[in-house]
CSV table of all heavy atoms in Angstrom, one decimal:
chain,number,residue,atom,x,y,z
A,138,GLN,N,-1.0,-8.7,4.3
A,138,GLN,CA,-1.6,-9.6,3.4
A,138,GLN,C,-0.6,-9.9,2.2
A,138,GLN,O,-1.0,-9.8,1.0
A,138,GLN,CB,-2.9,-9.2,2.9
A,138,GLN,CG,-3.9,-9.1,4.0
A,138,GLN,CD,-5.4,-9.0,3.6
A,138,GLN,OE1,-5.7,-8.7,2.5
A,138,GLN,NE2,-6.2,-9.4,4.5
A,139,ILE,N,0.6,-10.2,2.6
A,139,ILE,CA,1.6,-10.6,1.7
A,139,ILE,C,1.8,-12.1,1.8
A,139,ILE,O,1.8,-12.6,3.0
A,139,ILE,CB,3.0,-9.9,1.9
A,139,ILE,CG1,2.9,-8.4,1.7
A,139,ILE,CG2,4.1,-10.5,1.1
A,139,ILE,CD1,4.1,-7.6,2.2
A,140,ASP,N,1.8,-12.9,0.7
A,140,ASP,CA,1.9,-14.3,0.8
A,140,ASP,C,3.0,-14.7,1.7
A,140,ASP,O,4.1,-14.2,1.6
A,140,ASP,CB,2.1,-14.9,-0.6
A,140,ASP,CG,2.0,-16.4,-0.6
A,140,ASP,OD1,3.0,-17.0,-0.3
A,140,ASP,OD2,0.9,-16.9,-1.0
A,141,LYS,N,2.7,-15.7,2.6
A,141,LYS,CA,3.7,-16.1,3.6
A,141,LYS,C,4.9,-16.8,3.0
A,141,LYS,O,6.0,-16.9,3.6
A,141,LYS,CB,3.1,-17.0,4.7
A,141,LYS,CG,2.6,-18.3,4.2
A,141,LYS,CD,1.9,-19.0,5.3
A,141,LYS,CE,1.3,-20.3,4.8
A,141,LYS,NZ,0.7,-21.1,5.9
A,142,THR,N,4.8,-17.3,1.7
A,142,THR,CA,5.9,-17.9,1.0
A,142,THR,C,6.8,-16.8,0.4
A,142,THR,O,8.0,-17.1,0.1
A,142,THR,CB,5.5,-18.9,0.0
A,142,THR,OG1,4.7,-18.2,-1.0
A,142,THR,CG2,4.7,-20.0,0.6
A,143,VAL,N,6.3,-15.6,0.2
A,143,VAL,CA,7.0,-14.5,-0.4
A,143,VAL,C,7.7,-13.7,0.6
A,143,VAL,O,8.8,-13.2,0.4
A,143,VAL,CB,6.0,-13.6,-1.3
A,143,VAL,CG1,6.7,-12.3,-1.7
A,143,VAL,CG2,5.4,-14.4,-2.4
A,144,MET,N,7.1,-13.6,1.8
A,144,MET,CA,7.6,-12.7,2.9
A,144,MET,C,9.1,-12.9,3.2
A,144,MET,O,9.8,-12.0,3.4
A,144,MET,CB,6.7,-12.8,4.1
A,144,MET,CG,7.2,-11.8,5.2
A,144,MET,SD,7.1,-10.1,4.7
A,144,MET,CE,5.5,-9.7,5.1
A,145,PRO,N,9.5,-14.2,3.3
A,145,PRO,CA,10.9,-14.4,3.7
A,145,PRO,C,11.9,-13.7,2.7
A,145,PRO,O,12.9,-13.2,3.1
A,145,PRO,CB,11.1,-15.9,3.7
A,145,PRO,CG,9.8,-16.5,3.9
A,145,PRO,CD,8.8,-15.5,3.3
A,146,TYR,N,11.6,-13.8,1.4
A,146,TYR,CA,12.4,-13.2,0.4
A,146,TYR,C,12.5,-11.7,0.5
A,146,TYR,O,13.6,-11.1,0.4
A,146,TYR,CB,12.0,-13.6,-1.0
A,146,TYR,CG,12.0,-15.0,-1.3
A,146,TYR,CD1,10.8,-15.8,-1.3
A,146,TYR,CD2,13.2,-15.7,-1.4
A,146,TYR,CE1,10.9,-17.2,-1.5
A,146,TYR,CE2,13.2,-17.1,-1.6
A,146,TYR,CZ,12.1,-17.8,-1.7
A,146,TYR,OH,12.1,-19.1,-1.9
A,147,VAL,N,11.4,-11.1,0.9
A,147,VAL,CA,11.3,-9.6,1.0
A,147,VAL,C,12.1,-9.2,2.3
A,147,VAL,O,12.9,-8.3,2.2
A,147,VAL,CB,9.8,-9.1,1.1
A,147,VAL,CG1,9.8,-7.6,1.3
A,147,VAL,CG2,9.1,-9.5,-0.1
A,148,ILE,N,11.9,-10.0,3.4
A,148,ILE,CA,12.6,-9.7,4.6
A,148,ILE,C,14.1,-9.9,4.4
A,148,ILE,O,15.0,-9.1,4.8
A,148,ILE,CB,12.1,-10.5,5.8
A,148,ILE,CG1,10.6,-10.2,6.1
A,148,ILE,CG2,13.0,-10.3,7.0
A,148,ILE,CD1,10.3,-8.8,6.5
A,149,ASP,N,14.5,-11.0,3.7
A,149,ASP,CA,15.9,-11.2,3.4
A,149,ASP,C,16.5,-10.0,2.7
A,149,ASP,O,17.6,-9.6,3.0
A,149,ASP,CB,16.1,-12.5,2.5
A,149,ASP,CG,15.9,-13.8,3.3
A,149,ASP,OD1,15.8,-13.8,4.5
A,149,ASP,OD2,15.7,-14.8,2.6
A,150,ALA,N,15.8,-9.5,1.7
A,150,ALA,CA,16.3,-8.4,0.9
A,150,ALA,C,16.5,-7.1,1.7
A,150,ALA,O,17.5,-6.4,1.6
A,150,ALA,CB,15.4,-8.1,-0.3
A,151,LEU,N,15.5,-6.9,2.6
A,151,LEU,CA,15.6,-5.7,3.5
A,151,LEU,C,16.7,-5.9,4.5
A,151,LEU,O,17.4,-5.0,4.9
A,151,LEU,CB,14.2,-5.5,4.2
A,151,LEU,CG,13.1,-5.1,3.4
A,151,LEU,CD1,11.8,-5.2,4.1
A,151,LEU,CD2,13.3,-3.7,2.8
A,152,GLN,N,16.9,-7.2,5.0
A,152,GLN,CA,18.0,-7.5,5.9
A,152,GLN,C,19.4,-7.3,5.2
A,152,GLN,O,20.3,-6.7,5.8
A,152,GLN,CB,17.9,-8.9,6.5
A,152,GLN,CG,18.8,-9.2,7.6
A,152,GLN,CD,18.5,-10.5,8.3
A,152,GLN,OE1,17.4,-11.0,8.1
A,152,GLN,NE2,19.4,-10.9,9.1
A,153,ASP,N,19.5,-7.8,4.0
A,153,ASP,CA,20.7,-7.6,3.2
A,153,ASP,C,21.1,-6.2,3.0
A,153,ASP,O,22.2,-5.8,2.9
A,153,ASP,CB,20.6,-8.4,1.9
A,153,ASP,CG,20.6,-9.9,2.0
A,153,ASP,OD1,20.9,-10.4,3.1
A,153,ASP,OD2,20.2,-10.6,1.0
A,154,ALA,N,20.0,-5.3,2.9
A,154,ALA,CA,20.2,-3.9,2.7
A,154,ALA,C,20.6,-3.2,4.0
A,154,ALA,O,20.8,-2.0,4.1
A,154,ALA,CB,19.0,-3.3,2.1
A,155,GLY,N,20.5,-3.9,5.1
A,155,GLY,CA,20.9,-3.3,6.4
A,155,GLY,C,19.7,-2.6,7.1
A,155,GLY,O,19.9,-1.8,8.0
A,156,LEU,N,18.5,-2.8,6.6
A,156,LEU,CA,17.3,-2.0,7.1
A,156,LEU,C,16.6,-2.7,8.2
A,156,LEU,O,16.0,-2.0,9.0
A,156,LEU,CB,16.4,-1.8,5.9
A,156,LEU,CG,17.0,-1.0,4.7
A,156,LEU,CD1,16.1,-1.0,3.5
A,156,LEU,CD2,17.3,0.4,5.1
A,157,VAL,N,16.6,-4.0,8.2
A,157,VAL,CA,15.9,-4.7,9.3
A,157,VAL,C,16.8,-5.9,9.7
A,157,VAL,O,17.7,-6.3,9.0
A,157,VAL,CB,14.5,-5.3,8.9
A,157,VAL,CG1,13.5,-4.2,8.4
A,157,VAL,CG2,14.6,-6.4,7.8
A,158,GLU,N,16.4,-6.4,10.9
A,158,GLU,CA,17.0,-7.7,11.3
A,158,GLU,C,16.0,-8.5,12.0
A,158,GLU,O,15.0,-8.0,12.5
A,158,GLU,CB,18.3,-7.4,12.2
A,158,GLU,CG,18.0,-6.7,13.5
A,158,GLU,CD,19.2,-6.3,14.2
A,158,GLU,OE1,20.3,-6.1,13.6
A,158,GLU,OE2,19.1,-6.3,15.5
A,159,ARG,N,16.3,-9.8,12.0
A,159,ARG,CA,15.4,-10.8,12.7
A,159,ARG,C,16.1,-11.0,14.1
A,159,ARG,O,17.2,-11.3,14.2
A,159,ARG,CB,15.4,-12.1,12.0
A,159,ARG,CG,14.6,-12.0,10.6
A,159,ARG,CD,14.7,-13.4,9.9
A,159,ARG,NE,13.9,-13.5,8.7
A,159,ARG,CZ,14.4,-13.3,7.5
A,159,ARG,NH1,15.7,-13.0,7.3
A,159,ARG,NH2,13.7,-13.4,6.4
A,160,ARG,N,15.3,-10.8,15.1
A,160,ARG,CA,15.7,-11.1,16.5
A,160,ARG,C,14.9,-12.1,17.2
A,160,ARG,O,13.7,-12.2,17.0
A,160,ARG,CB,15.6,-9.8,17.3
A,160,ARG,CG,16.6,-8.7,16.9
A,160,ARG,CD,16.7,-7.6,17.9
A,160,ARG,NE,17.5,-6.5,17.4
A,160,ARG,CZ,17.4,-5.3,17.8
A,160,ARG,NH1,16.5,-4.9,18.7
A,160,ARG,NH2,18.2,-4.4,17.3
A,161,THR,N,15.6,-13.0,17.9
A,161,THR,CA,14.9,-14.0,18.7
A,161,THR,C,14.0,-13.4,19.7
A,161,THR,O,14.4,-12.5,20.5
A,161,THR,CB,15.9,-14.9,19.3
A,161,THR,OG1,16.8,-15.5,18.3
A,161,THR,CG2,15.2,-16.1,20.1
A,162,ASP,N,12.8,-13.8,19.8
A,162,ASP,CA,11.9,-13.3,20.8
A,162,ASP,C,12.3,-13.9,22.2
A,162,ASP,O,12.5,-15.1,22.3
A,162,ASP,CB,10.4,-13.8,20.5
A,162,ASP,CG,9.4,-13.3,21.4
A,162,ASP,OD1,9.6,-13.1,22.6
A,162,ASP,OD2,8.3,-13.0,20.9
A,163,PRO,N,12.6,-13.0,23.2
A,163,PRO,CA,13.0,-13.5,24.5
A,163,PRO,C,12.0,-14.4,25.2
A,163,PRO,O,12.4,-15.3,26.0
A,163,PRO,CB,13.3,-12.3,25.3
A,163,PRO,CG,12.7,-11.1,24.6
A,163,PRO,CD,12.4,-11.6,23.1
A,164,LYS,N,10.8,-14.4,24.8
A,164,LYS,CA,9.7,-15.2,25.5
A,164,LYS,C,9.6,-16.5,24.8
A,164,LYS,O,9.0,-17.4,25.4
A,164,LYS,CB,8.4,-14.5,25.5
A,164,LYS,CG,8.4,-13.2,26.3
A,164,LYS,CD,7.1,-12.5,26.2
A,164,LYS,CE,7.2,-11.2,27.0
A,164,LYS,NZ,6.0,-10.3,26.8
A,165,ASP,N,10.0,-16.6,23.5
A,165,ASP,CA,9.9,-17.9,22.8
A,165,ASP,C,11.0,-17.9,21.8
A,165,ASP,O,10.9,-17.3,20.7
A,165,ASP,CB,8.5,-18.0,22.1
A,165,ASP,CG,8.3,-19.3,21.4
A,165,ASP,OD1,9.2,-20.1,21.2
A,165,ASP,OD2,7.1,-19.6,21.1
A,166,ARG,N,12.0,-18.7,22.0
A,166,ARG,CA,13.2,-18.7,21.2
A,166,ARG,C,12.9,-19.3,19.7
A,166,ARG,O,13.7,-19.1,18.9
A,166,ARG,CB,14.3,-19.6,21.8
A,166,ARG,CG,14.8,-19.0,23.1
A,166,ARG,CD,15.9,-19.8,23.8
A,166,ARG,NE,16.9,-20.4,22.9
A,166,ARG,CZ,18.0,-19.7,22.5
A,166,ARG,NH1,18.2,-18.5,22.9
A,166,ARG,NH2,18.9,-20.3,21.7
A,167,ARG,N,11.8,-19.9,19.5
A,167,ARG,CA,11.4,-20.3,18.2
A,167,ARG,C,10.9,-19.2,17.3
A,167,ARG,O,10.9,-19.3,16.1
A,167,ARG,CB,10.3,-21.4,18.3
A,167,ARG,CG,10.8,-22.7,19.0
A,167,ARG,CD,9.6,-23.5,19.3
A,167,ARG,NE,8.7,-22.8,20.2
A,167,ARG,CZ,7.5,-23.2,20.6
A,167,ARG,NH1,7.0,-24.4,20.1
A,167,ARG,NH2,6.7,-22.5,21.4
A,168,VAL,N,10.6,-18.1,17.9
A,168,VAL,CA,10.0,-17.0,17.2
A,168,VAL,C,11.0,-15.9,16.9
A,168,VAL,O,11.8,-15.6,17.7
A,168,VAL,CB,8.8,-16.3,18.1
A,168,VAL,CG1,8.3,-15.1,17.4
A,168,VAL,CG2,7.7,-17.4,18.3
A,169,ARG,N,11.0,-15.4,15.7
A,169,ARG,CA,11.8,-14.3,15.2
A,169,ARG,C,11.0,-13.0,15.0
A,169,ARG,O,9.9,-13.1,14.4
A,169,ARG,CB,12.6,-14.6,13.9
A,169,ARG,CG,13.4,-15.8,14.0
A,169,ARG,CD,14.7,-15.6,14.8
A,169,ARG,NE,15.6,-16.7,14.8
A,169,ARG,CZ,15.5,-17.7,15.8
A,169,ARG,NH1,14.7,-17.6,16.7
A,169,ARG,NH2,16.4,-18.7,15.7
A,170,ARG,N,11.4,-12.0,15.6
A,170,ARG,CA,10.7,-10.7,15.5
A,170,ARG,C,11.5,-9.8,14.5
A,170,ARG,O,12.8,-9.8,14.5
A,170,ARG,CB,10.6,-10.0,16.8
A,170,ARG,CG,9.9,-10.8,17.8
A,170,ARG,CD,8.6,-10.1,18.3
A,170,ARG,NE,7.8,-11.0,19.1
A,170,ARG,CZ,6.5,-11.1,18.9
A,170,ARG,NH1,5.9,-10.5,18.0
A,170,ARG,NH2,5.8,-11.9,19.7
A,171,ILE,N,10.8,-9.0,13.7
A,171,ILE,CA,11.5,-8.1,12.7
A,171,ILE,C,11.6,-6.7,13.3
A,171,ILE,O,10.6,-6.2,13.8
A,171,ILE,CB,10.6,-8.1,11.4
A,171,ILE,CG1,10.2,-9.5,10.9
A,171,ILE,CG2,11.3,-7.2,10.4
A,171,ILE,CD1,11.4,-10.4,10.7
A,172,VAL,N,12.8,-6.2,13.4
A,172,VAL,CA,13.0,-4.9,13.9
A,172,VAL,C,13.9,-4.1,12.9
A,172,VAL,O,14.7,-4.6,12.2
A,172,VAL,CB,13.8,-5.0,15.3
A,172,VAL,CG1,12.9,-5.7,16.3
A,172,VAL,CG2,15.1,-5.6,15.2
A,173,LEU,N,13.7,-2.8,13.0
A,173,LEU,CA,14.5,-1.9,12.2
A,173,LEU,C,15.9,-1.7,12.8
A,173,LEU,O,16.0,-1.7,14.0
A,173,LEU,CB,13.9,-0.5,12.1
A,173,LEU,CG,12.6,-0.3,11.4
A,173,LEU,CD1,12.1,1.2,11.5
A,173,LEU,CD2,12.7,-0.7,10.0
A,174,THR,N,16.9,-1.6,12.0
A,174,THR,CA,18.2,-1.3,12.4
A,174,THR,C,18.3,0.2,12.5
A,174,THR,O,17.4,0.9,12.0
A,174,THR,CB,19.2,-1.8,11.3
A,174,THR,OG1,19.0,-1.1,10.1
A,174,THR,CG2,19.2,-3.3,11.1
A,175,PRO,N,19.3,0.7,13.1
A,175,PRO,CA,19.5,2.2,13.1
A,175,PRO,C,19.5,2.8,11.7
A,175,PRO,O,18.8,3.8,11.4
A,175,PRO,CB,20.8,2.4,13.8
A,175,PRO,CG,20.9,1.2,14.7
A,175,PRO,CD,20.3,0.1,13.9
A,176,HIS,N,20.1,2.1,10.7
A,176,HIS,CA,20.1,2.5,9.3
A,176,HIS,C,18.6,2.5,8.8
A,176,HIS,O,18.2,3.4,8.1
A,176,HIS,CB,21.0,1.6,8.5
A,176,HIS,CG,20.9,1.9,7.0
A,176,HIS,ND1,21.2,3.1,6.5
A,176,HIS,CD2,20.6,1.1,6.0
A,176,HIS,CE1,21.1,3.0,5.1
A,176,HIS,NE2,20.7,1.8,4.8
A,177,GLY,N,17.9,1.5,9.2
A,177,GLY,CA,16.5,1.3,8.8
A,177,GLY,C,15.6,2.5,9.4
A,177,GLY,O,14.7,3.0,8.7
A,178,GLU,N,15.9,2.9,10.6
A,178,GLU,CA,15.1,4.0,11.2
A,178,GLU,C,15.4,5.3,10.4
A,178,GLU,O,14.4,6.0,10.2
A,178,GLU,CB,15.5,4.1,12.7
A,178,GLU,CG,15.1,3.0,13.6
A,178,GLU,CD,15.6,3.1,15.0
A,178,GLU,OE1,16.4,4.0,15.3
A,178,GLU,OE2,15.3,2.1,15.7
A,179,ARG,N,16.6,5.5,10.1
A,179,ARG,CA,17.0,6.8,9.4
A,179,ARG,C,16.3,6.7,8.0
A,179,ARG,O,15.8,7.7,7.5
A,179,ARG,CB,18.5,6.9,9.2
A,179,ARG,CG,19.2,7.3,10.6
A,179,ARG,CD,20.6,7.7,10.4
A,179,ARG,NE,21.4,6.6,9.8
A,179,ARG,CZ,22.0,5.6,10.4
A,179,ARG,NH1,21.8,5.5,11.7
A,179,ARG,NH2,22.7,4.6,9.8
A,180,THR,N,16.4,5.6,7.4
A,180,THR,CA,15.9,5.4,6.0
A,180,THR,C,14.4,5.6,6.0
A,180,THR,O,13.8,6.2,5.1
A,180,THR,CB,16.3,4.0,5.4
A,180,THR,OG1,17.7,3.9,5.4
A,180,THR,CG2,15.7,3.8,4.1
A,181,LEU,N,13.7,5.0,7.0
A,181,LEU,CA,12.3,5.1,7.1
A,181,LEU,C,11.9,6.6,7.2
A,181,LEU,O,10.9,7.1,6.6
A,181,LEU,CB,11.7,4.3,8.3
A,181,LEU,CG,10.2,4.4,8.5
A,181,LEU,CD1,9.4,4.0,7.2
A,181,LEU,CD2,9.7,3.6,9.7
A,182,ALA,N,12.6,7.3,8.1
A,182,ALA,CA,12.2,8.8,8.2
A,182,ALA,C,12.4,9.5,6.9
A,182,ALA,O,11.5,10.3,6.5
A,182,ALA,CB,13.1,9.4,9.3
A,183,GLU,N,13.4,9.2,6.2
A,183,GLU,CA,13.7,9.8,4.9
A,183,GLU,C,12.6,9.4,3.9
A,183,GLU,O,12.0,10.3,3.1
A,183,GLU,CB,15.0,9.4,4.3
A,183,GLU,CG,16.2,10.0,5.1
A,183,GLU,CD,17.5,9.3,4.7
A,183,GLU,OE1,17.6,8.6,3.7
A,183,GLU,OE2,18.5,9.6,5.4
A,184,LEU,N,12.2,8.2,3.9
A,184,LEU,CA,11.2,7.7,3.0
A,184,LEU,C,9.8,8.2,3.3
A,184,LEU,O,9.1,8.6,2.3
A,184,LEU,CB,11.1,6.1,3.0
A,184,LEU,CG,12.3,5.4,2.4
A,184,LEU,CD1,12.2,3.9,2.7
A,184,LEU,CD2,12.4,5.6,0.9
A,185,GLU,N,9.5,8.4,4.5
A,185,GLU,CA,8.2,8.9,4.9
A,185,GLU,C,8.1,10.4,4.4
A,185,GLU,O,7.0,10.7,3.9
A,185,GLU,CB,8.0,8.9,6.4
A,185,GLU,CG,7.7,7.5,6.9
A,185,GLU,CD,7.6,7.3,8.4
A,185,GLU,OE1,8.2,8.1,9.1
A,185,GLU,OE2,7.0,6.4,8.8
A,186,ALA,N,9.1,11.1,4.4
A,186,ALA,CA,9.1,12.5,3.9
A,186,ALA,C,8.9,12.5,2.4
A,186,ALA,O,8.1,13.2,1.8
A,186,ALA,CB,10.4,13.3,4.2
A,187,LYS,N,9.6,11.5,1.7
A,187,LYS,CA,9.5,11.4,0.2
A,187,LYS,C,8.1,10.9,-0.1
A,187,LYS,O,7.5,11.4,-1.1
A,187,LYS,CB,10.5,10.4,-0.3
A,187,LYS,CG,11.9,11.0,-0.3
A,187,LYS,CD,12.9,9.9,-0.8
A,187,LYS,CE,14.3,10.4,-0.7
A,187,LYS,NZ,15.3,9.4,-1.3
A,188,VAL,N,7.5,10.0,0.6
A,188,VAL,CA,6.2,9.5,0.3
A,188,VAL,C,5.1,10.6,0.6
A,188,VAL,O,4.2,10.7,-0.2
A,188,VAL,CB,5.8,8.2,1.2
A,188,VAL,CG1,4.4,7.9,1.1
A,188,VAL,CG2,6.7,7.1,0.7
A,189,ARG,N,5.3,11.4,1.6
A,189,ARG,CA,4.4,12.5,1.8
A,189,ARG,C,4.4,13.5,0.6
A,189,ARG,O,3.4,13.9,0.1
A,189,ARG,CB,4.7,13.3,3.1
A,189,ARG,CG,4.1,12.7,4.4
A,189,ARG,CD,4.2,13.6,5.6
A,189,ARG,NE,5.6,14.0,5.9
A,189,ARG,CZ,6.4,13.2,6.6
A,189,ARG,NH1,6.0,12.1,7.1
A,189,ARG,NH2,7.7,13.6,6.9
A,190,ALA,N,5.6,13.8,0.1
A,190,ALA,CA,5.7,14.6,-1.1
A,190,ALA,C,5.1,14.0,-2.3
A,190,ALA,O,4.5,14.6,-3.1
A,190,ALA,CB,7.2,14.9,-1.3
A,191,ALA,N,5.3,12.6,-2.4
A,191,ALA,CA,4.7,11.9,-3.6
A,191,ALA,C,3.1,12.0,-3.5
A,191,ALA,O,2.4,12.2,-4.5
A,191,ALA,CB,5.1,10.5,-3.6
A,192,GLU,N,2.6,11.8,-2.3
A,192,GLU,CA,1.2,11.9,-2.1
A,192,GLU,C,0.7,13.3,-2.3
A,192,GLU,O,-0.4,13.5,-2.9
A,192,GLU,CB,0.8,11.4,-0.7
A,192,GLU,CG,1.0,9.8,-0.7
A,192,GLU,CD,0.7,9.2,0.7
A,192,GLU,OE1,0.5,10.0,1.7
A,192,GLU,OE2,0.6,8.0,0.8
A,193,ASP,N,1.5,14.3,-1.9
A,193,ASP,CA,1.1,15.7,-2.2
A,193,ASP,C,1.0,15.9,-3.8
A,193,ASP,O,0.1,16.6,-4.2
A,193,ASP,CB,2.2,16.7,-1.7
A,193,ASP,CG,2.1,16.8,-0.2
A,193,ASP,OD1,1.1,16.4,0.4
A,193,ASP,OD2,3.1,17.3,0.4
A,194,ALA,N,1.9,15.3,-4.5
A,194,ALA,CA,1.8,15.4,-6.0
A,194,ALA,C,0.6,14.7,-6.5
A,194,ALA,O,-0.1,15.2,-7.5
A,194,ALA,CB,3.1,14.7,-6.6
A,195,VAL,N,0.2,13.6,-5.9
A,195,VAL,CA,-1.1,12.9,-6.4
A,195,VAL,C,-2.3,13.8,-6.1
A,195,VAL,O,-3.2,13.9,-7.0
A,195,VAL,CB,-1.3,11.6,-5.6
A,195,VAL,CG1,-2.6,11.0,-5.9
A,195,VAL,CG2,-0.2,10.6,-6.0
A,196,PHE,N,-2.3,14.5,-5.0
A,196,PHE,CA,-3.4,15.4,-4.7
A,196,PHE,C,-3.2,16.8,-5.1
A,196,PHE,O,-4.0,17.7,-4.8
A,196,PHE,CB,-3.6,15.4,-3.1
A,196,PHE,CG,-4.3,14.2,-2.6
A,196,PHE,CD1,-3.5,13.1,-2.1
A,196,PHE,CD2,-5.7,14.0,-2.7
A,196,PHE,CE1,-4.2,12.0,-1.6
A,196,PHE,CE2,-6.3,12.9,-2.2
A,196,PHE,CZ,-5.5,11.9,-1.7
A,197,ALA,N,-2.2,17.1,-6.0
A,197,ALA,CA,-2.0,18.5,-6.5
A,197,ALA,C,-3.3,19.0,-7.1
A,197,ALA,O,-4.0,18.3,-7.8
A,197,ALA,CB,-0.9,18.5,-7.5
A,198,GLY,N,-3.6,20.2,-6.8
A,198,GLY,CA,-4.8,20.9,-7.3
A,198,GLY,C,-6.1,20.6,-6.6
A,198,GLY,O,-7.1,21.1,-6.9
A,199,MET,N,-6.0,19.7,-5.6
A,199,MET,CA,-7.2,19.4,-4.8
A,199,MET,C,-7.1,20.2,-3.5
A,199,MET,O,-6.0,20.2,-2.8
A,199,MET,CB,-7.2,17.9,-4.5
A,199,MET,CG,-8.5,17.4,-4.0
A,199,MET,SD,-8.5,15.6,-3.9
A,199,MET,CE,-10.2,15.3,-3.8
A,200,PRO,N,-8.2,20.9,-3.1
A,200,PRO,CA,-8.1,21.6,-1.8
A,200,PRO,C,-7.8,20.7,-0.6
A,200,PRO,O,-8.2,19.5,-0.6
A,200,PRO,CB,-9.5,22.2,-1.7
A,200,PRO,CG,-10.1,22.1,-3.0
A,200,PRO,CD,-9.5,21.0,-3.7
A,201,ALA,N,-7.0,21.2,0.3
A,201,ALA,CA,-6.6,20.4,1.5
A,201,ALA,C,-7.8,19.8,2.2
A,201,ALA,O,-7.7,18.6,2.7
A,201,ALA,CB,-5.8,21.3,2.5
A,202,GLN,N,-8.9,20.5,2.4
A,202,GLN,CA,-10.0,20.0,3.1
A,202,GLN,C,-10.6,18.8,2.3
A,202,GLN,O,-11.0,17.8,2.9
A,202,GLN,CB,-11.1,21.1,3.3
A,202,GLN,CG,-12.2,20.8,4.2
A,202,GLN,CD,-13.1,22.0,4.5
A,202,GLN,OE1,-13.2,22.9,3.7
A,202,GLN,NE2,-13.7,22.0,5.6
A,203,ALA,N,-10.7,18.9,1.0
A,203,ALA,CA,-11.2,17.8,0.2
A,203,ALA,C,-10.3,16.6,0.3
A,203,ALA,O,-10.7,15.4,0.4
A,203,ALA,CB,-11.4,18.2,-1.3
A,204,ARG,N,-9.0,16.8,0.3
A,204,ARG,CA,-8.0,15.8,0.4
A,204,ARG,C,-8.2,15.0,1.7
A,204,ARG,O,-8.3,13.8,1.8
A,204,ARG,CB,-6.6,16.3,0.3
A,204,ARG,CG,-5.5,15.2,0.6
A,204,ARG,CD,-4.2,15.8,0.7
A,204,ARG,NE,-3.2,14.8,1.0
A,204,ARG,CZ,-1.9,15.0,0.9
A,204,ARG,NH1,-1.4,16.1,0.3
A,204,ARG,NH2,-1.0,14.0,1.2
Side-chain angles (χ1 to χ4, degrees):
Q138 294 194 344
I139 297 173
D140 188 280
K141 64 183 177 182
T142 63
V143 172
M144 184 59 86
Y146 298 107
V147 180
I148 298 297
D149 287 346
L151 293 170
Q152 188 168 348
D153 291 346
L156 299 169
V157 299
E158 59 185 33
R159 292 175 174 98
R160 289 192 187 154
T161 304
D162 186 323
K164 295 177 184 171
D165 185 346
R166 294 179 44 84
R167 297 169 296 176
V168 174
R169 301 286 181 267
R170 301 240 172 229
I171 310 303
V172 297
L173 291 180
T174 63
H176 174 59
E178 290 172 3
R179 290 187 302 275
T180 300
L181 177 58
E183 293 167 9
L184 291 172
E185 287 175 333
K187 289 178 180 180
V188 168
R189 275 192 301 277
E192 290 177 350
D193 287 345
V195 171
F196 283 98
M199 191 171 198
Q202 192 173 25
R204 173 186 177 164

